[in-house]
Amino acid sequence: VNIDTDWLLAQAPVLSAGILTADMLNLERDLDAAEAGGIRVLHVDVMDGCFCPPVTLGLPVVAALPDRFVRDVHLMVDAPLSKIEAFTDAGADMLTFHLESTRHPHRVLQTLSGSGVIRGVAINPGTPVAAVAPLLDDLEFLLLLAVNPGWGGQSFIPATKQRLAEARALVEDRPVALGVDGGITASNIADVASAGVDVIVAGSAIFDGSSPSENALSLLKTIVRRPPS
Ligand code: DX5
Ligand code: ZN
């Protein structure tokens, strides 16, 4: 699909479905179900076993996802500079790398400039939000991790609420979407959405072995649209 920051901000809050805990042998069935529940954006967690312990999904999965979905690719890999082009070639619509994964985050963003992809920078729970300030002219998406990267189904770290407020203030009046990833459940999604988050990633709350369509529907119902400013 062809999307840009304006589209993303107009849809906000967007629910991006993390496929890490989907049924990999029946992925198409799970994706169809999620779509029936209102999902348009798929979040793909790429881990290399170095930046964080697990090794997960990679290029073949990104390339295989039906392109009627927005492909929101979250790289948790070391040395992203040498890998980003392969992911844009594979069809990533949003490509997010970690600030902590490279000494040259600004150069990674420069390299992605002009590729048409929505450029995202993610930060771990232990990284000060202000560390992204020098990058704000060169990114379209800022993703705050509410868990330490590695696994689905972890608990939302409470300090994330304050960090989201800080990040909101930082990106205000800029064409930058704010996202949160990790630990989202039916019980905390409304509260998190009220912090003015544009993209909410939910993995195990949607793909939990039961009904992705019902799960997605009930999460989407709960999200309150932020009043226009
Ligand atoms: C954290 C990943 C997240 C996570 C989401 O390592 O980046 O996308 O798997 O899963 P839940 O929603 O289950 O925390
Ligand atoms: Zn993620």
Side-chain angles (χ1 to χ4, degrees):
V1 293
N2 214 347
I3 58 148
D4 58 14
T5 323
D6 289 345
W7 178 88
L8 201 58
L9 292 172
Q11 307 292 312
V14 168
L15 186 59
S16 182
I19 64 168
L20 197 56
T21 54
D23 181 347
M24 290 303 154
L25 285 182
N26 295 287
L27 187 56
E28 192 166 26
R29 185 200 63 196
D30 269 12
L31 297 185
D32 287 346
E35 187 176 31
I39 294 298
R40 298 290 173 266
V41 182
L42 299 177
H43 180 90
V44 187
D45 286 310
V46 180
M47 306 184 196
D48 65 353
C50 298
F51 180 75
C52 59
V55 179
T56 58
L57 316 167
L59 286 165
V61 174
V62 174
L65 294 175
D67 70 2
R68 63 180 188 276
F69 292 102
V70 173
R71 285 176 268 191
D72 163 25
V73 177
H74 179 193
L75 297 179
M76 286 157 280
V77 304
D78 279 348
L81 186 59
S82 60
K83 293 150 196 153
I84 48 178
E85 196 185 340
F87 282 95
T88 53
D89 287 350
D93 300 292
M94 304 167 65
L95 186 58
T96 301
F97 64 95
H98 269 262
L99 184 69
E100 305 86 358
S101 68
T102 171
R103 286 201 278 286
H104 298 292
H106 193 274
R107 204 167 124 219
V108 177
L109 293 168
Q110 276 180 325
T111 306
L112 283 172
S113 164
S115 66
V117 78
I118 292 185
R119 298 170 296 175
V121 170
I123 55 172
N124 283 333
T127 299
V129 173
V132 299
L135 305 174
L136 291 176
D137 289 341
D138 294 277
L139 56 79
E140 289 78 45
F141 183 42
L142 172 59
L143 182 64
L144 263 54
L145 274 275
V147 299
N148 283 298
W151 301 272
Q154 304 181 79
S155 303
F156 187 92
I157 297 171
T160 309
K161 263 311 275 297
Q162 177 55 36
R163 290 166 57 73
L164 284 171
E166 260 178 73
R168 185 74 256 160
L170 211 57
V171 302
E172 210 54 67
D173 300 326
R174 283 177 179 273
V176 171
L178 176 62
V180 64
D181 183 10
I184 297 297
T185 63
S187 349
N188 66 16
I189 191 167
D191 189 41
V192 173
S194 72
V197 183
D198 303 302
V199 178
I200 300 177
V201 178
S204 56
I206 295 174
F207 299 110
D208 63 353
S210 72
S211 168
S213 63
E214 281 170 35
N215 292 341
L217 268 175
S218 70
L219 290 174
L220 280 166
K221 249 190 352 224
T222 320
I223 297 179
V224 185
R225 190 179 266 269
R226 163 161 61 103
S229 46

